[in-house]
């Protein structure tokens, strides 16, 4: 006999029939002898409708009142689920976040959970009841009882946090698909169910557009070793298991706001090749990285920045030992691309990274890193971001200093270089995010700290930035070097960002800002892609063969993302899914 937390998402409780089916499943679990705590979302599209209601009254509803409104969705569904259980003769009690006393930050609309008292839940379980808990909501303090919500999709986070706090034996996330699939089955019907997935992979997939599991839920599962399964509420299939570490007890405070960064990593064996003026047409990246893959060259970071006229810059890194071979291969290729194409090689580079699950969804961690480096006079050459890691390529001569600066500013140790993870499938899943916009700032002074200023301004405005790319090409303005910086953000944040940047740009006396909403981001994720030649080439080839032009490229150790025209986003996802034979698992 164990304690099981079951979470049912919006579609699983959308209608009376669905709620009755859910109630039967809960009763069946109780009959197996388990104590059951149920976490539910609002019914169907209730949250969207409530948001629509608020926006119909005012275009910019205050966050506090919005939380008050949105939290009602879950209050309805917990009561109806409890009623359905009672109708089946199963004693049940519904509890709101306030009644349990789920304490969160005061940050309306995106609050993080600080503490979940378990006494009330345990009391009710003792009485033989199923406890039905409202997901997505909490209160900012036990004194004022201000209602907060966790952010869209946040019921997953509530469920895993409740499971962590209770030390539950399992947390089952029931949804409208049979588990975590290789990609969104609504876009690619051939998507296959994964039997298991690592937390790192799921964190990336979740934040790159796979909304099947909220990234913060994964972060909690990873931090406290909560056993999580994602399954269909329609069938009895086993679903997908999240591979979580050993169980850890939850402290009485700061449940979701543990340390932002765990440590600093250094790879001092990097070399960079930077190509400028590469013709901007489909298939170029595939040609370049295909040739390198064929020769067995393992490429680490790849960055293609925003195009200038009809050309692109592509920069990438390899291990220093491979630099000569790589340069030869590149020099053989580029004459065919036109006279303007140049290749510059910097053999002595280092990659410094900050790592930690605490940075998930936190604007500002990357900005803090950039400004710490900037203040120490260390220039950042390339940037690569993933959900739990931000890496900067710096000059080898400044590597030790960079590590020291980061270690002291985040107050964390230097970690040993992680072991190579081989053997697993290099690519496990693909994702599409067509809710993003690309912002490009032209002519940012190329000096330490300039970029940091911009990203700090965005962080202060609470805008989460993704896919940050700095151009290789340098434009001289009044005898000073400048570069272009492009990044992506959520479309909803565009106005906030524009406002924050206007002031920052005026201060820097630089840059023109352009905003492009006609983009989509397609990504592949897999922890087995580290140090495997040819993964990127295969992705670019899938897009190239479909005639899809790549606007920007950014990679981390476990993901490759490409920006493509929004119009062909879905097609791009289908192509890469097929290109990696993910439909044939
Ligand atoms: P719930 O209401 O149960 O929380 P969501 O709508 O939030 O459900 O998430 C489930 C949806 O996530 C699925 O219907 C599917 O369209 C989408 N999805 C996107 N990527 C994936 C993926 N890789 N695996 C499974 N589902 C995915
Ligand atoms: N009802 C909330 C939403 O729609 C929370 C959730 O479903 O997870 O975002
Ligand atoms: Mg959801």
């Amino acid at each position: 006999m164990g304690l099981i937390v079951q979470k049912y998402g919006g579609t699983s409780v959308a209608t009376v029939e669905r709620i009755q089916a859910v109630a039967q499943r809960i009763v069946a679990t109780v009959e197996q002898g388990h104590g059951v705590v149920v976490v539910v979302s609002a019914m169907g599209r209730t949250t969207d409708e409530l948001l629509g209601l608020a926006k119909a009254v005012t275009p910019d509803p205050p966050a506090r009142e919005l939380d008050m409104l949105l939290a009602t969705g879950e209050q309805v569904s917990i009561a109806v689920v409890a009623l359905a259980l009672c109708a089946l003769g199963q004693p049940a009690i519904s509890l709101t976040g306030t009644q349990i006393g789920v304490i969160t930050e005061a940050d309306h609309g995106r609050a993080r959970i600080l503490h979940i008292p378990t006494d009330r839940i345990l009391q009710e379980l003792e009485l033989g009841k199923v406890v039905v808990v409202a997901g997505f909501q909490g209160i900012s303090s036990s004194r004022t009882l201000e209602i907060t919500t966790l952010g869209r999709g946040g019921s997953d986070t509530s469920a895993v946090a409740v499971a962590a706090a209770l030390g539950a034996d399992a947390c089952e996330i029931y949804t409208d698909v049979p588990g975590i699939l290789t990609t969104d089955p609504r876009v690619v019907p051939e998507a296959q169910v994964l039997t298991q997935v690592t937390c790192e992979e799921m964190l990336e997939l979740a934040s790159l557009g796979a909304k099947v599991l909220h990234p913060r839920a994964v972060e909690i599962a990873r931090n406290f070793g909560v056993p999580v399964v994602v399954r269909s509420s329609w069938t009895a299939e086993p679903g997908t298991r999240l591979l979580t570490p050993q169980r850890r007890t939850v402290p009485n405070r700061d449940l979701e706001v543990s340390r932002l960064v765990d440590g600093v990593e250094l790879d001092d064996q990097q070399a960079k090749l930077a190509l400028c003026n590469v013709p901007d047409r489909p298939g170029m990246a595939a040609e370049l990285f295909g040739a390198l893959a064929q020769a067995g060259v393992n490429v680490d970071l790849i960055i293609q920045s925003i195009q200038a006229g009809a050309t692109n810059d592509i920069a990438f890194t390899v291990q220093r030992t491979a630099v000569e071979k790589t340069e030869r291969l590149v020099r053989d290729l580029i004459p065919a691309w036109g006279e303007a194409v140049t290749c510059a090689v910097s053999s002595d580079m280092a990659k410094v990274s900050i790592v930690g699950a605490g940075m998930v969804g936190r604007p500002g961690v990357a900005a803090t890193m950039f400004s710490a480096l900037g203040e120490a006079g260390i220039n950042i050459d390339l940037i690569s971001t993933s959900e739990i890691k931000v890496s900067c390529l710096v000059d080898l001569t400044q590597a030790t200093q960079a590590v020291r600066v980061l270690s002291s500013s985040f107050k964390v140790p230097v970690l040993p270089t992680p072991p190579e993870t081989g053997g697993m499938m290099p690519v496990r899943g693909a994702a599409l995010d067509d809710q993003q916009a690309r912002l490009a700032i032209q002519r940012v002074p190329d000096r330490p700290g300039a970029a940091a200023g911009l990203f700090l301004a965005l962080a202060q405005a609470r805008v989460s930035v993704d896919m940050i790319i700095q151009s290789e090409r340098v434009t001289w303005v009044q005898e000073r070097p400048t570069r272009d910086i492009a990044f992506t953000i959520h479309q909803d944040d565009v106005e906030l960002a524009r406002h924050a940047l206007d002031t920052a740009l005026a201060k820097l006396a630089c840059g023109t800002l352009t905003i492009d909403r006609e983009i989509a981001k397609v990504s592949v994720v897999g922890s087995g892609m580290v140090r495997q030649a040819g993964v990127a080439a295969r992705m670019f080839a899938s897009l190239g063969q479909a005639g899809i032009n790549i606007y920007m490229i950014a990679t981390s150790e476990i993901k490759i993302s490409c920006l493509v025209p929004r119009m062909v986003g879905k097609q791009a996802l289908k192509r890469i899914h097929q290109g990696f034979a993910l439909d044939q698992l």
Side-chain angles (χ1 to χ4, degrees), residues 166 181 206 208:
L166 288 168
L181 281 81
L208 292 167

Side-chain angles (χ1 to χ4, degrees), residues 7 153 156 211-212:
K7 180 256 169 179
D156 297 332
K211 70 169 188 167
V212 60

Side-chain angles (χ1 to χ4, degrees), residues 7 41-42 47 74 136 151-156:
K7 180 256 169 179
S41 296
T47 311
E74 272 70 12
F136 180 56
R152 296 308 305 271
S155 292
D156 297 332

Side-chain angles (χ1 to χ4, degrees), residues 2-6 35-39 100 115-125 131 133 158-171 224 226-227 247-251 255:
L3 178 57
I4 296 185
V5 174
Q6 298 189 332
V36 185
V37 175
V38 179
V39 176
I100 293 168
H115 177 54
I116 302 185
T118 52
D119 38 353
R120 178 79 194 267
I121 300 176
L122 291 172
Q123 257 169 31
E124 302 294 350
L125 282 171
V131 184
V133 176
S158 304
V160 179
V162 165
L166 288 168
D169 298 289
C171 180
F224 301 111
V226 182
R247 187 111 219 176
R248 284 219 303 261
T249 19
V250 176
L255 189 151

Side-chain angles (χ1 to χ4, degrees), residues 258-269:
S258 51
R259 211 168 41 191
L260 293 179
V261 174
D262 293 333
V264 181
E265 279 174 13
L266 169 69
D267 174 353
D268 57 6
Q269 297 297 317

Side-chain angles (χ1 to χ4, degrees), residues 43-223:
M43 292 171 67
R45 304 189 62 84
T46 302
T47 311
D48 289 330
E49 286 158 14
L50 291 171
L51 254 178
L53 176 62
K55 293 244 162 101
V57 177
T58 163
D60 197 11
R64 181 202 180 265
E65 300 309 328
L66 203 53
D67 274 358
M68 184 69 92
L69 179 64
L70 296 190
T72 62
E74 272 70 12
Q75 190 169 338
V76 171
S77 57
I78 49 169
V80 184
V81 170
L83 286 174
L85 286 165
C86 293
L88 292 177
Q90 169 61 52
I93 181 167
S94 59
L95 295 173
T96 61
T98 314
Q99 287 173 303
I100 293 168
V102 174
I103 307 285
T104 70
E105 295 174 327
D107 200 2
H108 286 288
R110 61 204 320 174
R112 293 203 164 223
I113 299 172
L114 301 174
H115 177 54
I116 302 185
T118 52
D119 38 353
R120 178 79 194 267
I121 300 176
L122 291 172
Q123 257 169 31
E124 302 294 350
L125 282 171
E126 277 290 304
L127 297 173
K129 293 181 197 168
V130 167
V131 184
V132 188
V133 176
F136 180 56
Q137 54 177 259
I139 43 170
S140 64
S141 98
S142 50
R143 199 172 41 82
T144 56
L145 305 183
E146 283 296 320
I147 293 176
T148 53
T149 66
L150 311 185
R152 296 308 305 271
S155 292
D156 297 332
T157 300
S158 304
V160 179
V162 165
L166 288 168
D169 298 289
C171 180
E172 302 171 344
I173 307 282
Y174 287 94
T175 183
D176 60 350
V177 285
I180 297 162
L181 281 81
T182 49
T183 194
D184 190 344
R186 284 192 216 174
V187 183
V188 186
E190 297 79 20
Q192 301 289 311
V193 183
L194 299 164
T195 33
Q196 55 186 42
V197 64
T198 68
C199 288
E200 289 71 18
E201 289 168 337
M202 193 59 226
L203 274 173
E204 292 297 340
L205 281 171
S207 44
L208 292 167
K211 70 169 188 167
V212 60
L213 203 53
H214 201 234
R216 279 164 49 190
V218 186
E219 182 197 351
I220 299 171
R222 185 178 188 265
N223 280 344

Side-chain angles (χ1 to χ4, degrees), residues 119-449:
D119 38 353
R120 178 79 194 267
I121 300 176
L122 291 172
Q123 257 169 31
E124 302 294 350
L125 282 171
E126 277 290 304
L127 297 173
K129 293 181 197 168
V130 167
V131 184
V132 188
V133 176
F136 180 56
Q137 54 177 259
I139 43 170
S140 64
S141 98
S142 50
R143 199 172 41 82
T144 56
L145 305 183
E146 283 296 320
I147 293 176
T148 53
T149 66
L150 311 185
R152 296 308 305 271
S155 292
D156 297 332
T157 300
S158 304
V160 179
V162 165
L166 288 168
D169 298 289
C171 180
E172 302 171 344
I173 307 282
Y174 287 94
T175 183
D176 60 350
V177 285
I180 297 162
L181 281 81
T182 49
T183 194
D184 190 344
R186 284 192 216 174
V187 183
V188 186
E190 297 79 20
Q192 301 289 311
V193 183
L194 299 164
T195 33
Q196 55 186 42
V197 64
T198 68
C199 288
E200 289 71 18
E201 289 168 337
M202 193 59 226
L203 274 173
E204 292 297 340
L205 281 171
S207 44
L208 292 167
K211 70 169 188 167
V212 60
L213 203 53
H214 201 234
R216 279 164 49 190
V218 186
E219 182 197 351
I220 299 171
R222 185 178 188 265
N223 280 344
F224 301 111
V226 182
V228 173
V229 179
V230 179
R231 317 174 50 181
S232 162
S233 64
W234 270 257
T235 68
E237 287 162 64
T240 308
R241 203 158 60 89
L242 190 65
L243 295 173
T244 44
Q246 278 249 307
R247 187 111 219 176
R248 284 219 303 261
T249 19
V250 176
N252 278 337
R253 56 195 190 101
D254 296 349
L255 189 151
E256 247 198 294
V257 288
S258 51
R259 211 168 41 191
L260 293 179
V261 174
D262 293 333
V264 181
E265 279 174 13
L266 169 69
D267 174 353
D268 57 6
Q269 297 297 317
Q270 296 251 320
K272 183 185 88 168
L273 288 92
L275 278 68
C276 285
N277 305 320
V278 177
D280 179 35
R281 58 168 188 259
M284 294 307 294
E287 193 179 331
L288 169 62
F289 293 102
L292 298 183
Q294 237 172 15
V297 172
N298 194 0
V299 177
D300 185 3
L301 301 178
I302 303 175
I303 306 272
Q304 178 190 306
S305 60
I306 185 168
Q307 75 258 38
T311 66
N312 288 315
D313 303 347
I314 303 181
F316 59 96
T317 67
V318 294
Q319 288 288 295
R320 191 168 302 123
T321 47
V323 71
E324 277 153 27
K325 175 181 177 182
T326 311
E327 185 178 359
R328 262 199 315 278
L329 289 162
V330 171
R331 295 220 183 270
D332 284 349
L333 276 175
I334 56 179
W337 297 347
E339 277 169 17
V341 186
T342 59
C343 170
V345 180
S346 324
S347 302
D348 295 322
M349 303 303 289
K351 182 172 69 174
V352 283
S353 313
I354 51 169
V355 291
M359 64 176 90
V360 175
R362 294 227 151 215
V365 179
T368 310
M369 177 186 193
F370 305 156
S371 70
L373 293 175
E375 276 162 27
I378 297 167
N379 208 15
I380 302 167
D381 206 87
L382 290 183
I383 295 165
S384 142
T385 53
S386 77
E387 271 308 292
I388 52 170
K389 194 171 202 171
V390 185
S391 305
C392 293
L393 198 72
V394 302
D395 210 87
L396 185 60
T397 53
Q398 294 188 303
T400 326
Q401 194 200 352
V403 168
R404 206 167 40 228
V405 164
L406 294 175
S407 161
S408 83
S409 78
F410 288 102
K411 300 189 182 54
V412 291
V414 181
L415 304 173
T417 317
E420 290 178 27
T421 36
M424 284 182 84
M425 288 276 294
V427 168
R428 305 264 296 148
L432 167 70
D433 186 346
D434 52 11
Q435 303 289 303
Q436 295 221 320
R438 175 181 68 182
L439 276 64
I441 305 168
Q442 264 144 346
R443 293 187 255 295
V444 178
D446 186 27
R447 56 175 156 77

